Amino acid sequence: YPAPSGVVAYRLLPGERNRSSIELGFQHVLDSNPRPYSRAFLTRRLLEDRASRAVGWIAADSARYIYGNEARYQGIGIVPRVEIGARGQLTMYANRYAQRLQADCGFLPTEGAMPVEPDRLRYLGQPWSRFDTHNSNHGAILTSRPRTDAWNLRFSSLVSDVDRPRSDFNMFRDVAANGSAEAVTIIARDRRITSWAHEAIAARESTFGDHRLGLNVVARYRDSDYRDPITQTVELGRVSLFDRPRISEEPVAPAEPTRTSARVRQMETGASLRYAHRTGLAASVSARRVFVDESSKATDRADSARSSANWLYNASLAAPVTDALTAFVATTRGIEEAGTAPQNAANRFEVLSPVL
């Protein structure tokens, strides 16, 4: 699915046979703080086995591993599939995941090592601070049934949306041996990331005696929009990690906030060649040409944009040494967009060059 930094593998619930499962249980039993959870999935074959439907569900009432955060998790997804003609298969999917928890706490000791150990089940952050996210994915994948010595095709179009009304964080700096620390709560409102990705792959495998050759040709396009959060900082002063937390009132959101938004468009084409021998010798090589267009917009400054084009590659070689030992060597070159310069930098909000 289209993640913020590219398209990653997404494993769908299989629907080859009818099956169902419901699981009920408890978490955090060893912490003497048991919390219930439920998990279920259902798959059914339809239309004389020419179609299938898979549904999954998970929900949990949790106390986070540290430090006492209360949390709620809920997720549901559905995956329908249908056969098209003699060779085609269309897979669609949609899921939604909601997570809400008290914001995490972080600690910066005075001299590097944490001198005290706070109570794991006592929440030290502000009671109104929270992390709230709603993630959804949906899309369609059209594939041809694999055949040897023939071109096999795959087309996909996928959308991913991350909506975070709040992503706060409680920071305790300069933690001393007596448990005192400077407390700061960072409020982050209204962060959102949306990505839409398309992919087309043509693959062919052929066998010649003891040799097998495989060729892949790929084209991809990704369009991602980022909306940075509106941030506020609440200084709480010096506090003790062993006393009751000092509670502050939740500040009102600013009327005219300073924020940025960014857009990344990535296009790539490439090909890969694979070779395998009956003895276990295998080699592969691939090359891709990637074009990245990035732009940034802030409420209080001019727009910034940058375009780049790069060659990416990878190669690998594996050879059997003995029946139980195989030697291999591999190299790869990837790309990652670097985003924009932070608000407190001299070149703030400037689009940075991708990292290779």
Side-chain angles (χ1 to χ4, degrees), residues 14 49 99 107 134 148 156 167 196 202 250 266 277 318 327:
D49 288 344
Q99 179 185 35
F107 303 88
H134 309 89
T148 304
S156 63
S167 49
W196 190 8
E250 181 178 0
Q266 180 174 324
H277 191 267

Side-chain angles (χ1 to χ4, degrees), residues 87-226:
R87 290 198 61 200
Q89 182 186 75
L90 177 64
T91 301
M92 295 163 285
Y93 81 92
N95 65 45
R96 182 170 176 81
Y97 175 75
Q99 179 185 35
R100 185 184 177 98
L101 54 95
Q102 290 177 307
D104 282 344
C105 298
F107 303 88
L108 290 176
T110 303
E111 297 181 356
M114 190 69 175
V116 295
E117 181 66 29
D119 184 352
R120 293 180 64 248
L121 297 180
R122 188 168 68 90
Y123 186 62
L124 298 174
Q126 296 297 298
W128 43 260
S129 66
R130 64 185 184 273
F131 181 93
D132 189 6
T133 184
H134 309 89
N135 302 350
S136 62
N137 301 285
H138 61 273
I141 305 170
L142 178 63
T143 60
S144 60
R145 194 179 303 277
R147 294 189 305 177
T148 304
D149 295 323
W151 285 103
N152 300 299
L153 306 177
R154 174 188 171 100
F155 304 95
S156 63
S157 180
L158 311 174
V159 177
S160 174
D161 181 66
V162 177
D163 184 10
R164 288 183 181 161
R166 292 284 287 269
S167 49
D168 304 345
F169 191 75
N170 297 285
M171 175 62 70
F172 295 88
R173 301 177 300 199
D174 299 327
V175 180
N178 63 359
S180 65
E182 289 286 338
V184 177
T185 297
I186 302 168
I187 303 172
R189 292 183 171 92
D190 198 24
R191 180 198 302 267
R192 190 159 193 168
I193 305 173
T194 303
S195 293
W196 190 8
H198 311 279
E199 181 182 71
I201 298 178
R204 184 183 181 97
E205 286 201 356
S206 302
T207 302
F208 309 95
D210 294 337
H211 311 275
R212 175 178 287 269
L213 285 176
L215 174 65
N216 279 21
V217 180
V218 61
R220 295 189 181 104
Y221 175 79
R222 176 175 64 94
D223 193 341
S224 298
D225 286 306
Y226 304 73

Side-chain angles (χ1 to χ4, degrees), residues 6 20 37 55 85-86 100 165 209 218 222 224 245 268 287 307 347:
S20 58
Y37 75 91
V55 179
R100 185 184 177 98
V218 61
R222 176 175 64 94
S224 298
E268 67 175 79
S307 297
N347 61 336

